[in-house]
Amino acid sequence: MTAQRQRVAIVTGAGSAHGIGFAAARLLGAGGSRVVITSTTDRIFERVTELRADGIRAEGVVADLTDAAGADTVVACASDSFGGLDILVNNAGMTSVSDHSFAPGAIDGLSLDDWRASLDRNLTTSFLMTRAVAGPMQAAGYGRIVNVSSVSGPVAAYAGDVAYHAAKAGVVGLTRATAIDMASAGVTVNAVAPGWIDTASASAYERVLGAATPVGRSGTADEVAHAIAFLAGEGASYITGQLITVDGANSISEERGR
């Protein structure tokens, strides 16, 4: 990866040691960026300690990014600690370890409250963080925003979780609309769509599905992180409003169950 020349990166949803967010923060930091990472619990400070042990300048923030005040707190940390921000990786989503109310459901079994909670967790977080960084990035004339969507919603679906699919499809719409709004200011906005990725939260069933992809295995958090780092880099200056799928060709295979 091309060094980021002391850029400042915010990476949300980086609390898991084996997740996409932390892998992205570690890779951006190794490339020279100073990093602010967030999660909903104090475990984020364990990740900060690990990054610092690798020589990466890092700060951590515990924040609820479904609330505008939480997003503002994260941006303020980047400004106060490192003098500004250049890169935003919107990875927060899926389930929260501090929120035990998560309940996926099919269209005929999902409550309105659970629908709203999933959209808040998986879409509103990206909206609020993007809105919070838009002003500073446009004023600086530079920015890289990378949203972590999913193949689930934009290009494929599985049974029993309509809200998650709707939210992740919404992330792509947010990406494209924001890319248009911010293009003239030197800010690019792109998304990555992971498929079956073998993180700590992956179930045994998901690993079976990963083994059935054309590549023959689940992906890794680091493999997704490399796609994020490319889009966050200096060389991706003419790529904006795009979705990169990281799924081992699973979403394009026509010969299922061979």
Side-chain angles (χ1 to χ4, degrees), residues 89-131:
V89 179
N90 278 316
N91 177 66
M94 291 292 289
T95 59
S96 167
V97 296
S98 63
D99 183 358
H100 301 291
S101 64
F102 175 74
I107 191 64
D108 57 351
L110 184 69
S111 73
L112 182 57
D113 284 345
D114 287 333
W115 164 266
R116 288 171 171 162
S118 187
L119 262 63
D120 277 350
R121 182 183 298 109
N122 292 293
L123 178 56
T124 302
T125 52
S126 293
F127 161 69
L128 290 175
M129 283 300 305
T130 299
R131 189 178 68 173

Side-chain angles (χ1 to χ4, degrees), residues 3-9 28-29 31-35 55 57 82 84-87 234:
Q4 300 294 335
R5 297 205 314 268
Q6 293 297 297
R7 298 292 189 187
V8 178
L28 290 170
S33 291
R34 293 162 287 181
V35 179
R57 294 185 62 187
F82 300 124
L85 62 105
D86 305 283
I87 298 163
E234 307 291 340

Side-chain angles (χ1 to χ4, degrees), residues 10 27 44 48 53 68 73 81 129 149 153 186-187 192 204 211 226 237 243 250:
I10 294 173
L27 189 58
I44 198 65
V48 169
T73 297
S81 300
M129 283 300 305
S149 179
V187 180
V192 297
H226 276 278
S237 56
L243 176 68
N250 197 48

Side-chain angles (χ1 to χ4, degrees), residues 4-178:
Q4 300 294 335
R5 297 205 314 268
Q6 293 297 297
R7 298 292 189 187
V8 178
I10 294 173
V11 183
T12 71
S16 171
H18 306 290
I20 292 170
F22 185 60
R26 186 172 52 213
L27 189 58
L28 290 170
S33 291
R34 293 162 287 181
V35 179
V36 174
I37 57 176
T38 79
S39 75
T40 58
T41 70
D42 286 344
R43 67 177 178 166
I44 198 65
F45 300 116
E46 298 173 11
R47 306 289 82 77
V48 169
T49 298
E50 293 173 35
L51 292 175
R52 290 176 177 173
D54 289 336
I56 297 167
R57 294 185 62 187
E59 298 290 340
V61 183
V62 176
D64 176 6
L65 300 182
T66 66
D67 185 276
D72 291 341
T73 297
V74 176
V75 173
C77 177
S79 179
D80 295 344
S81 300
F82 300 124
L85 62 105
D86 305 283
I87 298 163
L88 169 64
V89 179
N90 278 316
N91 177 66
M94 291 292 289
T95 59
S96 167
V97 296
S98 63
D99 183 358
H100 301 291
S101 64
F102 175 74
I107 191 64
D108 57 351
L110 184 69
S111 73
L112 182 57
D113 284 345
D114 287 333
W115 164 266
R116 288 171 171 162
S118 187
L119 262 63
D120 277 350
R121 182 183 298 109
N122 292 293
L123 178 56
T124 302
T125 52
S126 293
F127 161 69
L128 290 175
M129 283 300 305
T130 299
R131 189 178 68 173
V133 306
M137 285 185 174
Q138 289 179 104
Y142 181 91
R144 298 284 186 269
I145 299 173
V146 185
N147 297 320
V148 179
S149 179
S150 173
V151 295
S152 303
V155 298
Y158 55 83
D161 200 350
V162 295
Y164 177 76
H165 288 79
K168 287 301 188 180
V171 168
V172 178
L174 174 67
T175 298
R176 290 173 176 155
T178 308

Side-chain angles (χ1 to χ4, degrees), residues 182-233:
M182 301 180 74
S184 64
V187 180
T188 67
V189 189
N190 293 288
V192 297
W196 300 116
I197 307 299
D198 192 0
T199 64
S201 63
S203 67
Y205 178 64
E206 289 170 341
R207 293 186 176 99
V208 169
L209 295 175
T213 66
V215 171
R217 61 172 176 83
S218 296
T220 68
D222 284 337
E223 287 171 322
V224 181
H226 276 278
I228 292 170
F230 165 68
L231 293 171

